[in-house]
């Protein structure tokens, strides 16, 4: 099951050229780019590991691509995303976030039902990948 | 041009109205860039020649692309060598603007670094530091001033080598994204390239900055003064000419930097002269005239120690300021 989260997630994978263009867009708007990675695909897992510090003084998308490619080399089958952080007052948040790398096989999620008191049922999703310890998942 | 098109297989037939080289030249605004270069930089024929070559290449490349021929940007990594004060830093700082307007690089920005910015202090510190600088410079020009300091042969555990290796890798793999300019004094750069053959082979353009002639130095002095809203009167001009003649023969002559220092001292003397005149006549309430504020007279220049009879080369305090080893980092106006 293909994980879809962030911007462009329903489009086919972005090419490097398209990633570069998106990074350029973010830089033009004055947003700081950051690369993050994880091997836990749960949708509520919003705090991914940081790949280096956010790049506040970048002038060109090629610099971000340098980091993305480094991260891909180190974690070829992790999820990698690019965040664009807007520091203007009032926003001070991530304005754009898109996935640039994903594992070749994505086993998907299991729906767990927990029977509670009475006949209530609580639902939870569980990623099959997280059955294995971190670092051995993909 | 049509002869080239005939040689190509038929599928690459030229578009009917492919623009000629002359039309491309006019469209590109390169003429303006080159004109500005000629006006603002005095002398430096080899540098201007190389920039002209690059400009011509980029136009021809555009024309080739219009005809469906293969085209790709050449590697433009450069090395500037020359004596102190010949304009290496100034030209490098202008290079980003030039290459951007010629359409070779995407962003008009220059990141100027020295050894301290690239080389770390402990194991594992150098690589992230160098990569960070490269990342910032992407899309523009990376200028490494006094690049020979990167390599310290006397210390085999020096981290400079690591920085050089990372630089080489990016210079090779990301030629489209980055132009690296190395600068330094001729003799030391020669040693640097001898001990780093990889670097020597990846830097395609070695541009030597010749020393200025006395006439060029005089022009530079006038240009500098015009920029600062000063002017030399006729006597001061001949005094300046004498000054340059004398200064050229002295040790530690740092070309335009020496001239700039001389002018700075002349400006101090001019201020002192105007001030003292005003103090001696306190009842005159009127403001100094515009012309007096702008004019540097012969006396301001002739007061230099260089013209004093007892002066010995090793006694001139000016030498300490302009000695190449301790020369202050050149600000933008260094020419």
């Amino acid at each position: 099951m293909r994980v879809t989260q962030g911007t462009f997630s329903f489009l086919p994978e972005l090419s490097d050229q398209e990633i570069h263009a998106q990074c350029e867009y973010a830089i033009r708007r004055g947003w700081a780019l950051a690369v993050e990675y994880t091997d836990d695909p749960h949708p509520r897992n919003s705090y991914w590991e940081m790949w280096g510090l956010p790049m506040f003084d970048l002038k060109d998308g090629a610099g971000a691509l340098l980091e993305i490619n480094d991260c891909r080399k180190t974690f070829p089958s992790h999820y990698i995303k690019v965040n664009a952080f807007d520091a203007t007052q009032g926003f001070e948040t991530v304005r754009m976030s898109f996935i640039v790398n994903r594992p070749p096989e994505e086993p998907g999620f299991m729906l767990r039902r927990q029977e509670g008191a009475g006949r209530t049922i609580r639902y939870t999703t569980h990623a099959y990948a997280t059955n294995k310890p971190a670092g051995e998942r993909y | 041009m049509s002869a080239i098109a005939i040689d190509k297989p038929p599928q690459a037939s030229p578009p009917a109205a492919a623009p000629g080289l002359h039309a491309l030249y006019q469209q590109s605004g390169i003429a303006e860039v080159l004109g500005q270069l000629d006006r603002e930089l005095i002398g430096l024929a080899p540098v201007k020649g190389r920039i002209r070559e690059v400009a011509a290449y980029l136009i021809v490349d555009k024309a080739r692309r219009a005809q469906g021929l293969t085209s790709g940007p050449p590697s433009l990594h450069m090395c500037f060598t020359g004596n102190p004060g010949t304009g290496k830093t100034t030209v490098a700082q202008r290079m980003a603007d030039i290459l951007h307007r010629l359409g070779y690089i995407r962003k008009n920005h220059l990141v100027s670094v020295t050894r301290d910015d690239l080389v770390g202090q402990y194991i594992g510190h150098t690589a992230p530091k160098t990569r960070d600088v490269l990342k910032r410079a992407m899309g523009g020009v990376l200028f490494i001033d006094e690049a020979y300091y990167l390599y310290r042969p006397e210390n085999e555990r020096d981290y400079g080598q690591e920085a050089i290796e990372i630089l080489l890798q990016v210079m090779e793999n990301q030629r489209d994204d980055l132009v690296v300019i190395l600068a330094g004094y001729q003799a030391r750069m020669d040693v640097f390239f001898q001990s780093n053959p990889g670097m020597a082979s990846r830097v395609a353009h070695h541009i030597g900055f010749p020393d200025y002639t006395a006439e060029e130095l005089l022009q530079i002095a006038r240009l500098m003064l015009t920029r600062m809203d000063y002017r030399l009167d006729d006597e001061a001009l001949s005094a300046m000419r004498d000054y340059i003649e004398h200064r050229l023969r002295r040790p530690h002559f740092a070309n335009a930097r020496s001239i700039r220092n001389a002018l700075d001292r002349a400006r101090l003397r001019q201020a002192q002269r105007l001030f003292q005149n005003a103090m001696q006549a306190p009842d005159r309430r009127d403001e100094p005239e515009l012309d007096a504020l702008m004019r540097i007279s012969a006396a301001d220049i002739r007061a230099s120690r260089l013209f004093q009879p007892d002066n010995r080369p090793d006694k001139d305090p000016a030498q300490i300021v302009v000695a190449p080893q301790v020369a202050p980092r050149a600000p933008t106006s260094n020419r």
Side-chain angles (χ1 to χ4, degrees), chain A residues 24 57 59-60 66 70, chain B residues 106-107 131 136 138 174:
Chain A
E24 286 283 290
D57 47 4
K59 293 282 188 338
D60 190 90
L66 200 72
D70 265 11
Chain B
R106 290 190 298 270
K107 298 283 156 65
R131 295 197 71 88
R136 271 194 290 143
M138 279 292 161
Q174 286 178 290

Side-chain angles (χ1 to χ4, degrees), chain B residues 99-154:
Chain B
L99 292 179
H100 180 66
R101 283 161 79 173
L102 294 177
Y104 184 83
I105 52 177
R106 290 190 298 270
K107 298 283 156 65
N108 180 6
H109 78 113
L110 174 128
V111 175
S112 179
V113 296
T114 51
R115 179 188 156 94
D116 287 355
D117 302 291
L118 295 170
V119 179
Q121 292 167 5
Y122 41 84
I123 291 181
H125 189 204
T126 302
K129 226 174 158 184
T130 306
R131 295 197 71 88
D132 194 55
V133 166
L134 286 167
K135 220 160 58 187
R136 271 194 290 143
M138 279 292 161
V141 173
L142 175 65
F143 175 59
I144 306 176
D145 207 357
E146 311 193 44
Y148 41 78
Y149 281 134
L150 280 179
Y151 178 71
R152 291 233 168 112
E154 69 272 14

